[in-house]
Amino acid sequence: MTFIREIISFFTFSEPNVKVVFLGSLILCAISGLVGTFTFLRKRSLIGDVISHAVLPGIALAFIIGHQKNVLYLIIGATITGWISTYLVEYITRHSKIKSDTAIALILSVFFGIGVLLLTHIQHTGAGSQSGLDQFIFGRASAMNQSDIVLFGSVGIVILVLTLIFFRGFSILSFDEGYANAIGFPIAWLKLILSIITVITVAMGVQAVGVVLMSALLITPAAAARFWTNKIHILAILAVLFASISGIIGSAVSYTYNGMPTGPWIVVIVSLLAFLSAIIGSKTGILKSWNLRRRNNVKILKENTIKLFYALNSEQPDNSGFQFSEIAENARMENTTLRSGLKLLRKEGWLIGNDRQGYQTTEEGKREARAIVRKHRLWELYISKYMHLQPDHVHDDAEGIEHVITPEIERELEEQLDFPKLDPHNSEIPY
Amino acid sequence: MNDIWIIITASLVAANAAILGSFLIMRRMAMVGDAISHAVLPGIVIAYFLTNSRASFPMLMGAAASGMIVTTFIQFFNKKVKLQNDASIGISYTFLFAVGIILISFFGSNVDLDQECVLYGEIAYVPIDTLFIGELNIGPRQFWILLTTLIIIVSAVIMAYRKLVLTTFDEAFASAIGINVVFWQYYLMAGVSLTTVVSFESVGAVLVIAFIAGPPATAYLLTHSFKRMIYLSILIGIVCSIIGYYTAVWLNGSIAGAISSVIGLVFAIVFAVDLFKRRQVSRQVTQTSN
């Protein structure tokens, strides 16, 4: 019961601090989800990692210069070093033989090391109350206060507006930089704006989830969304949605259980959403592709099985039912596979009969058998004629392609070949 | 004496990481090293909680298990559901790291591990934790652990050197002559996990990555021979440890942080000189051709 009471007290904001933490996490997560969409699509996920580690020295420097924890200074400092780090990664990869992954790992660890050195220096020398600088490494959403929220909110709105204004530009930049350049998009400017937005988002986000986990907040929501859609607008909306859900649940958990950190919970929730999406996602989820592959295999099995009856029927035109052994003789498949193929065809109504009485094709079955043999032979003829392949080289190719020829392609083939009568092996093409 | 022990400990980590890092950066897998070094956290925490000690073997098992899990996750996202490589790495290791931090908070006071320690270690405490044979003080525990690891890594690399080099530089050829490319990749990853686990207590995950990427990248700019690159990166790692240690003492800050900073500085100098030299060469070439 206490658990439910705690949940209710969280969502009714009975403590003023809860509202601050909740709003803060929500804003930071939503903005990260939005900006992360482009980081993800531009395949810059690991750059997000660099930026989030590289904000640490900026935060420490801002603290040394400003002598206190002023969130605005910290964000400015973080933005500057974060931006320098992305510039350095690009500079190193462009001007030496060092590959981008090495440059990323190097810059990330060196900047983080400098940050740690500065932070420990501040702490050991007792400059200031070291007021929770540690929290930047792991994030402590509960340390946010009212004025932080106002700042996050206004910066968030600016980022949102900028993203909406440049949405089209950012999208084209993400998918095809060369094309964007060719049609006269000012890509240098777009890239600059996007990278500044990203760095600012990271600089704010580290306060909720910390340096190490910030990159998850950028990429995981977009990656999760990717399993559901191919459209960039929907991708962005879903990413914001997933990130926000994680922000809400994460801050609720850390409120309900004393001592639980907010950031890691946000990341765990959003990662679980990504795993779930990878499995059940309606576009590229694993179940979806299994289902597609299974349907395809069934189709191929059905067509390969009915094709056997075309040959059998033309040898014995009285259609008097074939024994299983007769059918299996010419089948280039396992007996068990053939049996399940026969079962499928019976269900489809292309076949009647059973093992004892033998199998007979129905009228529909005959039509289907002719259709698949027609596609096979048309294709054989087409490639032997246009690609000058020997007739004995065309069978295997046709064996695969016959299952994917659509009625439109079939019509096209017939017209191109002028409704031929015979295939390259001088067998009749059935219409 | 303490100074010497700390420098020796850091140098041992540097040597381990330099050997593995040279292979990793040639394979463009530096970030996989990063991912593994973060992802071992939950395994370490669970092993620590179960055995209630910092004994190396259970921790190693735990870390190996989480190392395998993160590699499996990356493979799942990348191969099974066709997510791009960078995102697969990013999602997998942040997830495991987050789980690790949650576990630390969950076990709370029962566990004498803290999250900062995992990231930047407590190398300053290394000389305090010593081993004894009877009454004889034989030096810090970490020193012996790291020395053993170095012997293991060096002999593992020497034994499989030819195969490791082949799979690194020409994967297609290696698999054509029947070498199991995937096996040797896991072999290297096992080395990375081992190095991370034994080093995390003293130097933390971040310095391991700095050692993996920094000295080999610097050496790569200085030589064209792979063997010389390995020797050079070990040397650079050791030099950086020495300078880094005294920088930390001078600034009164984190030793791991200072060594990482020095690694960055050394790389920056070598990079600038390399760039300057190549600029001059290309200028001379243009002048002579004019």
Side-chain angles (χ1 to χ4, degrees), chain A residues 40 43-45 49 91 95 97-99 101-102 106 109 112-114 120-121 124 134 138 213 216 223 261 271, chain B residues 25 28-30 84 86 91 93-95 101 105 115-116 206 210 214 220 251-254 257 261 267 275 278:
Chain A
F40 171 78
K43 302 197 165 53
R44 295 291 162 90
S45 309
D49 216 13
Y91 190 84
H95 293 280
K97 53 182 178 175
I98 289 169
K99 311 293 181 299
D101 69 305
T102 310
L106 177 72
S109 53
F112 190 76
I114 297 172
T120 46
H121 173 71
H124 293 166
D134 267 7
F138 293 98
L213 296 177
S271 306
Chain B
I25 76 164
R28 308 182 182 201
M29 282 174 66
Q84 64 212 37
D86 60 330
I91 294 177
Y93 89 82
T94 50
F95 171 67
I101 296 180
S105 319
Q115 39 200 27
E116 284 83 2
V206 173
Y220 183 44
L251 286 175
N252 191 11
S254 152
S261 312
F267 173 81
L275 197 64
R278 274 188 293 128

Side-chain angles (χ1 to χ4, degrees), chain B:
Chain B
M1 196 56 202
N2 283 0
D3 305 10
I4 305 293
W5 279 127
I6 291 173
I7 290 171
I8 290 177
T9 309
S11 304
L12 286 172
V13 177
N16 272 328
I19 297 169
L20 296 168
S22 299
F23 284 102
L24 286 186
I25 76 164
M26 298 315 293
R27 287 173 171 245
R28 308 182 182 201
M29 282 174 66
M31 287 310 285
V32 179
D34 178 48
I36 289 184
S37 61
H38 282 85
V40 295
L41 182 61
I44 291 175
V45 177
I46 290 174
Y48 187 77
F49 178 70
L50 291 179
T51 63
N52 213 5
S53 76
R54 290 197 184 188
S56 297
F57 188 70
M59 284 208 178
L60 201 59
M61 290 291 106
S66 9
M68 290 302 281
I69 290 173
V70 75
T71 321
T72 317
F73 279 175
I74 295 175
Q75 292 282 334
F76 168 78
F77 277 119
N78 203 355
K79 297 276 146 57
K80 280 268 184 247
V81 292
K82 306 265 186 305
L83 194 66
Q84 64 212 37
N85 191 27
D86 60 330
S88 308
I89 295 176
I91 294 177
S92 308
Y93 89 82
T94 50
F95 171 67
L96 283 168
F97 193 77
V99 169
I101 296 180
I102 289 173
L103 286 175
I104 291 179
S105 319
F106 187 70
F107 297 139
S109 50
N110 300 330
V111 180
D112 173 33
L113 269 179
D114 60 55
Q115 39 200 27
E116 284 83 2
C117 166
V118 176
L119 276 188
Y120 47 91
E122 285 296 355
I123 200 169
Y125 297 153
V126 163
I128 302 169
D129 184 8
T130 51
L131 280 183
F132 289 91
I133 296 181
E135 293 291 301
L136 184 69
N137 183 340
I138 55 165
R141 196 169 56 90
Q142 274 292 313
F143 165 75
W144 290 105
I145 293 174
L146 284 166
L147 188 66
T148 319
T149 312
L150 184 64
I151 294 167
I152 294 172
I153 300 268
V154 168
S155 32
V157 167
I158 289 176
M159 270 191 320
Y161 186 74
R162 215 180 64 87
K163 285 186 171 140
L164 285 174
V165 168
L166 256 181
T167 51
T168 300
F169 287 96
D170 198 339
E171 202 180 295
F173 176 67
S175 77
I177 62 170
I179 296 175
N180 187 343
V181 176
V182 178
F183 172 79
W184 293 108
Q185 180 171 329
Y186 276 91
Y187 191 86
L188 265 184
M189 290 301 116
V192 175
S193 301
L194 178 67
T195 304
T196 314
V197 178
V198 297
S199 334
F200 97 98
E201 225 180 301
S202 51
V203 302
V206 173
L207 184 53
V208 175
I209 304 155
F211 273 140
I212 282 180
T218 314
Y220 183 44
L221 291 177
L222 291 170
T223 176
H224 291 291
S225 141
F226 184 63
K227 263 192 187 148
R228 216 175 298 150
M229 174 176 156
I230 296 180
Y231 297 138
L232 253 180
S233 42
I234 296 174
L235 186 71
I236 294 168
I238 293 172
V239 171
C240 290
S241 307
I242 298 169
I243 304 176
Y245 174 72
Y246 290 106
T247 313
V249 173
W250 172 52
L251 286 175
N252 191 11
S254 152
I255 298 167
I259 298 177
S260 313
S261 312
V262 172
I263 289 173
L265 190 67
V266 170
F267 173 81
I269 294 168
V270 172
F271 183 83
V273 170
D274 177 63
L275 197 64
F276 179 72
K277 267 205 268 180
R278 274 188 293 128
R279 289 258 160 92
Q280 273 201 326
V281 170
S282 68
R283 199 172 304 139
Q284 276 165 5
V285 170
T286 32
Q287 273 169 3
T288 34
S289 64
N290 285 343

Side-chain angles (χ1 to χ4, degrees), chain A residues 301-345:
Chain A
L301 179 60
K302 270 163 51 182
E303 292 183 345
N304 281 342
T305 314
I306 197 70
K307 206 167 57 176
L308 296 170
F309 284 90
Y310 182 83
L312 291 168
N313 278 338
S314 50
E315 282 162 25
Q316 258 176 299
D318 58 341
N319 194 15
S320 60
F322 301 102
Q323 293 306 313
F324 183 80
S325 55
E326 264 180 284
I327 304 166
E329 203 175 311
N330 294 319
R332 286 201 287 182
M333 51 177 120
E334 299 285 326
N335 276 351
T336 45
T337 320
L338 179 60
R339 226 173 260 287
S340 52
L342 291 172
K343 209 156 126 201
L344 279 169
L345 295 190

Side-chain angles (χ1 to χ4, degrees), chain A residues 185-193:
Chain A
F185 265 76
I187 58 165
W189 281 105
L190 282 173
K191 269 164 124 174
L192 185 67
I193 295 168

Side-chain angles (χ1 to χ4, degrees), chain A residues 238-251:
Chain A
L238 276 178
V240 171
L241 188 71
F242 287 156
S244 308
I245 291 173
S246 321
I248 293 168
I249 298 180
S251 44

